[in-house]
Amino acid sequence: MAEGGLIGVLAQRLRAGDRLVAAWCTAGEPSLAEALIRAGYDTAVLDMQHGAFTVETAIRGIAQVALAGAPAIVRVPVGDFATASRMLDAGAAGVIAPMINSVADAETFVSFAKYPPAGGRSWGPHRAVPMTGLDPAGYFKAANAIHLAIPMIETRAALDALDGILAVPGVDGVFVGPADLSVALSNGGGVDPTSREVDAALRHIVTRAEAAGKFASLFCADGALAKTMLARGFRLCSASTDMMLLRQAAGQELGAAR
């Protein structure tokens, strides 16, 4: 087991260069996240930004994902950095922060996600300490390495500031939202995460993350795209979402029944 127990596994594997597949969970139901982990996903992202997870259900989700043997990541709402700290206290292995558009945004995020000297996270890891198997002093020493702070890159401003964001101490990697990035790159012309402009941006992000010694991760709507993007250098990709999978399976079974 990695340093930091189950929480530390995610950081260890990403830094070792493993390619991981995430279950993207929007329904707000922890049992669905647990079921997807038992199906074989490496981690689950509990989405508080566009999904139905609340503070309470996300905390339960972290525990149920851990029960299935995997670390959890939480995407917090835009600018809700206090919730980032709460999720880490509850045992999340990482936090994704949307709409990080500048070095200053990244520094503010890190200040809530990391203990000094990298940040200013407040002490209160009520569930994280027992999940790591460490004593409080050992947890404090290891926490900045085992918990991941992951800003999202999804605007022109973020692309322009990418190297600076990656250079912020305490930023472990970046996560790309291709739909919002497509809106930004088309100047509001539409949503097309498969456009040539987005594809070029994705290649640039992977290259710059690798140069900084950090990982790039990406939302993918299906497993085929995830396979392609993992081969291109992304370290962590989603493969569909809980609700997309449910609708797909329901359609297949209803088609067979009728």
Side-chain angles (χ1 to χ4, degrees):
M1 181 67 74
E3 181 185 22
L6 188 63
I7 292 175
V9 166
L10 187 66
Q12 181 189 62
R13 294 189 66 188
L14 287 170
R15 289 173 183 141
D18 290 358
R19 296 327 194 222
L20 307 182
V21 182
W24 197 273
C25 303
T26 65
E29 175 45 62
S31 62
L32 288 181
E34 179 187 346
L36 289 173
I37 292 300
R38 294 191 186 281
Y41 284 88
D42 298 299
T43 184
V45 179
L46 312 179
D47 190 357
M48 298 180 71
Q49 182 192 8
H50 293 302
F53 277 97
T54 63
V55 169
E56 292 78 12
T57 56
I59 289 172
R60 285 173 41 217
I62 292 166
Q64 288 194 230
V65 168
L67 183 66
I73 302 169
V74 178
R75 179 165 75 167
V76 297
V78 176
D80 193 351
F81 301 132
T83 294
S85 294
R86 293 187 73 178
M87 294 300 110
L88 297 173
D89 287 344
V95 172
I96 296 172
M99 292 293 171
I100 300 296
N101 294 323
S102 66
V103 169
D105 288 347
E107 290 173 341
T108 301
F109 170 42
V110 167
S111 74
F112 285 85
K114 302 288 183 177
Y115 292 117
R121 180 182 163 194
S122 177
W123 179 256
H126 58 95
R127 185 171 286 167
V129 169
M131 285 177 67
T132 63
L134 300 169
D135 62 20
Y139 171 80
F140 181 79
K141 182 178 179 180
N144 282 356
I146 63 176
H147 289 289
L148 300 174
I150 311 168
M152 287 194 73
I153 305 298
E154 49 190 341
T155 65
R156 285 187 182 274
L159 277 176
D160 291 343
L162 178 61
D163 284 343
I165 291 170
L166 286 164
V168 171
V171 166
D172 298 289
V174 292
F175 190 93
V176 185
D180 279 322
L181 187 58
S182 74
V183 172
L185 295 180
S186 68
N187 294 316
V191 181
D192 182 6
T194 65
S195 72
R196 285 182 294 178
E197 291 80 8
V198 171
D199 188 69
L202 295 181
R203 293 180 186 277
H204 174 69
I205 291 165
V206 166
T207 298
R208 299 316 303 160
E210 289 178 347
K214 300 183 179 182
F215 65 86
S217 47
L218 176 69
F219 177 86
C220 295
D222 58 57
L225 180 59
K227 182 177 181 178
T228 297
M229 292 303 174
L230 290 168
R232 279 174 46 173
F234 284 93
R235 302 276 186 85
L236 172 70
C237 291
S238 65
S240 194
T241 73
D242 52 358
M243 295 306 295
M244 290 168 66
L245 290 166
L246 182 61
R247 286 192 294 269
Q248 180 182 18
Q252 290 174 347
E253 296 307 317
L254 281 170
R258 291 174 176 170

